[in-house]
């Protein structure tokens, strides 16, 4: 494992995205009022989840996400205080990580539901071949052609509806740190650049290439890989995905990197950074299910710096980083950890 690594957030989610996207459209659980923000907007499937005010966070809140279903279960079992804690997660827009199966149906379901609610879908593409170097979130497309077909499906599903895409967490960092074998480097650059081009051909899609986190400290390690991967054509880059570095440190890191890639803007994953990084235990696994963490700033486009387009919850709080510290497989909901995150948040 790598101490500055961070994505580890996918393996348990393969079927749910397809089923959920279809269910959202069939049941019509997105608001039929066009995305109003009043108290009567009940675009929920039992938990009473509504959209955040658009001027604060234009991104879609999934009314039937895992956290929302956890709220319903806790309320049914009489654990109302715990339900209100998990509601802190359920009521915020969090990213949908697109699975490997039928990406067109998944992205169509998410973007249509978001568009119906008058919001923008927040999506993560995490399917690059040789993903995660055989670690907790290993996998990805079988080869380059399979990945290109998958991205084509993603794009077809998005169409002209609004979407913001975080592209391939860790993919560039694992080229820099030596984790990904040299023979796959050129192909990966080509795949990332092709994905940026494909997604930016869509009318209303923004794309942010992942650029690691403040733990890397030196932007010189990553700015040239960003250039080779197509940052010039992208809207910007993302930092701190699935990690815990403070927003302040993430802004400082992002601004240094931005200066080396033409002043590009960036977004920050603030989903679990409320108490900063964990500093105890094995340094190689401090990123993996660290104890004592809390939720960070809620998603918003009102940020502390004009170069920061948004604070986002890219990692879905409450989902495991991997089978460490007693956690389930990467991407699976861990109710106890979710509750601790919420309770530790002021």
């Amino acid at each position: 494992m790598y101490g500055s690594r961070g994505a580890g957030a996918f393996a348990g989610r393969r079927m749910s995205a397809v089923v959920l996207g279809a269910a959202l459209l069939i049941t019509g659980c997105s608001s039929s009022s066009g995305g109003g923000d009043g108290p009567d907007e009940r675009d929920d499937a039992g938990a009473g989840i509504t959209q955040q005010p658009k001027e604060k966070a234009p991104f879609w809140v999934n009314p039937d996400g895992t956290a929302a279903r956890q709220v319903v279960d806790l309320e049914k079992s009489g654990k109302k205080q715990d339900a209100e804690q998990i509601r802190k997660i359920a009521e915020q827009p969090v990213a949908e990580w697109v699975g490997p199966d039928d990406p067109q149906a998944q992205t169509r379901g998410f973007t249509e539901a978001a568009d119906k609610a008058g919001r923008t879908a927040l999506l993560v593409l995490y399917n690059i071949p040789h993903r995660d170097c055989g670690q907790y979130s290993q996998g990805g497309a079988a080869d380059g052609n399979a990945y290109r077909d998958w991205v084509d499906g993603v794009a077809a599903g998005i169409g002209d509806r609004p979407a913001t895409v975080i592209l391939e967490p860790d993919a560039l960092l694992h080229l820099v740190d030596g984790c990904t074998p040299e023979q796959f480097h050129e192909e990966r650059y080509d795949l990332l650049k092709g994905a940026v081009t494909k997604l930016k051909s869509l009318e209303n899609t923004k794309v942010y290439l992942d650029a690691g986190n403040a733990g890397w400290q030196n932007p010189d390690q990553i700015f040239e890989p960003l250039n080779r991967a197509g940052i010039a054509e992208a809207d910007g880059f993302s930092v701190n995905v699935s990690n815990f570095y403070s927003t302040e440190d993430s802004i400082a890191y992002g601004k240094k990197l931005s200066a080396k890639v033409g002043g590009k803007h960036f977004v920050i994953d603030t989903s679990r950074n409320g108490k900063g990084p964990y500093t105890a235990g094995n340094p190689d696994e401090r990123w993996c299910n660290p104890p004592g963490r809390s939720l960070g700033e809620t998603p918003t486009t009102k940020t502390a710096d004009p170069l920061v387009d948004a604070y986002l919850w890219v990692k879905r709080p409450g989902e495991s980083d991997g089978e460490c510290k007693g956690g389930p497989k990467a991407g699976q909901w861990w109710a106890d950890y979710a509750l601790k995150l919420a309770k530790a948040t002021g």
Side-chain angles (χ1 to χ4, degrees):
M1 283 302 159
Y2 294 79
S4 58
R5 185 197 166 281
F10 185 74
R13 208 177 290 124
R14 292 175 182 263
M15 289 300 295
S16 60
V18 178
V19 175
L20 176 58
L24 286 168
L25 298 178
I26 293 170
T27 61
C29 61
S30 295
S31 170
S32 59
S33 62
D37 298 315
D40 294 330
E41 183 189 14
R42 305 284 290 185
D43 51 344
D44 66 274
I49 303 302
T50 62
Q51 299 299 318
Q52 290 290 330
K54 187 181 292 187
E55 64 273 13
K56 174 194 173 187
F59 305 102
W60 178 60
V61 178
N62 186 339
D64 192 35
T66 308
R69 295 195 297 272
Q70 181 76 53
V71 169
V72 173
D73 291 343
L74 289 168
E75 288 178 340
K76 286 181 178 179
S77 61
K79 298 178 179 179
K80 296 191 179 299
Q81 290 185 340
D82 287 351
E84 288 309 302
Q85 291 293 334
I86 297 299
R87 189 177 293 277
K88 294 177 183 178
I89 299 173
E91 68 185 7
Q92 296 299 331
V94 297
E96 302 293 346
W97 294 59
V98 181
D101 302 317
D102 201 348
Q104 183 171 345
Q106 291 180 64
T107 55
R108 184 177 65 247
F110 292 134
T111 56
E112 287 188 359
D115 193 44
K116 187 176 180 181
R119 299 300 192 276
T120 297
L122 178 60
L123 307 173
V124 182
L125 304 195
Y126 188 50
N127 195 37
I128 202 80
H130 318 291
R131 188 184 68 206
D132 204 34
C133 312
Q135 300 175 93
Y136 288 132
S137 293
Q138 63 183 290
D143 54 34
N145 287 334
Y147 184 76
R148 293 182 185 95
D149 289 344
W150 183 79
V151 171
D152 286 347
V154 168
I158 294 173
D160 62 359
R161 290 175 290 276
T164 293
V165 175
I166 307 301
L167 184 59
E168 296 298 340
D170 288 345
L172 287 176
L173 286 188
H174 282 167
L175 299 182
V176 175
D177 65 15
C179 179
T180 301
E182 181 71 30
Q183 65 262 35
F184 303 129
H185 286 204
E186 289 302 319
E187 178 188 61
R188 180 164 296 184
Y189 284 124
D190 181 68
L191 293 176
L192 290 171
K193 191 168 185 177
V196 171
T197 298
K198 183 68 178 183
L199 294 166
K200 285 305 299 174
S201 71
L202 303 176
E203 184 177 355
N204 294 303
T205 296
K206 292 185 176 181
V207 181
Y208 294 88
L209 268 165
D210 188 62
N213 54 68
W216 278 74
Q217 298 179 354
N218 185 1
D220 287 343
Q221 296 173 300
I222 194 68
F223 83 89
E224 189 53 41
L226 275 172
N227 285 330
R228 294 181 65 184
I231 189 65
E233 191 177 355
D235 293 274
F237 56 91
S238 58
V239 301
N240 204 48
V241 170
S242 296
N243 221 302
F244 301 84
Y245 290 95
S246 71
T247 302
E248 181 181 9
D249 288 346
S250 296
I251 291 174
Y253 169 77
K255 289 179 74 172
K256 290 178 181 177
L257 184 53
S258 173
K260 293 179 175 293
V261 290
K264 284 290 185 177
H265 287 210
F266 57 100
V267 296
I268 301 171
D269 185 354
T270 60
S271 57
R272 304 179 299 175
N273 74 345
K275 295 189 182 300
Y278 185 57
T279 58
N282 182 352
D284 289 342
E285 287 204 346
R286 285 173 177 167
W287 59 270
C288 190
N289 299 324
R293 303 306 92 193
S294 71
L295 303 173
E297 289 101 332
T298 54
T300 183
T301 53
K302 299 182 182 300
T303 69
D305 192 280
L307 281 174
V308 183
D309 286 346
Y311 302 146
L312 303 175
W313 283 11
V314 182
K315 167 71 177 184
R316 301 162 97 177
E319 292 187 352
S320 176
D321 292 314
E323 296 169 273
C324 60
K325 301 182 183 71
K329 291 182 178 180
Q332 290 188 359
W333 180 257
W334 188 3
D336 183 57
Y337 195 81
L339 191 58
K340 289 177 179 177
L341 281 173
K343 286 183 173 179
T345 304

